[in-house]
Amino acid sequence: MSDAASTITAGVLAHPCGDDQPCDRLVVRSIKEAAGVLGNSPTVCRTSYVHPVVPESYRDGSLSEAWDGSRSTATMARSERAVRRLFLG
């Protein structure tokens, strides 16, 4: 798994989906964005680089909670810290 792909995806998915925006579409868009940055296809990015906990936590709302509890520091971006919170529980 790539930390970069997971943090890019988490940054796009940072806020809970609204009723007017289907969650699955935003997950697909976030993975496409990460794939573009990394120079991979979305399929390769999803299956090999984005940790499954990121889209799962987006769907269950825990990504939003991790995002709200995270801030950027001199050494880590907010999305990196949010993903770290997800991994560490």
Side-chain angles (χ1 to χ4, degrees):
M1 298 293 139
S2 166
D3 290 343
S6 295
T7 57
I8 292 166
T9 302
V12 175
L13 299 175
H15 307 288
C17 62
D19 293 336
D20 62 329
Q21 187 174 24
C23 293
D24 290 335
R25 272 200 189 143
L26 192 53
V27 169
V28 169
R29 192 184 100 206
S30 69
I31 292 173
K32 284 182 180 179
E33 189 168 322
V37 171
L38 298 176
N40 291 314
S41 71
T43 300
V44 169
C45 189
R46 178 181 43 80
T47 59
S48 300
Y49 295 106
V50 175
H51 196 286
V53 76
V54 175
E56 289 168 11
S57 64
Y58 172 66
R59 289 183 182 105
D60 71 19
S62 58
L63 175 58
S64 178
E65 292 171 17
W67 183 267
D68 290 343
S70 300
R71 297 291 176 261
S72 295
T73 65
T75 58
M76 292 180 81
R78 187 176 188 181
S79 57
E80 292 173 307
R81 291 187 60 140
V83 169
R84 185 174 181 204
R85 288 174 73 99
L86 290 174
F87 291 159
L88 298 176

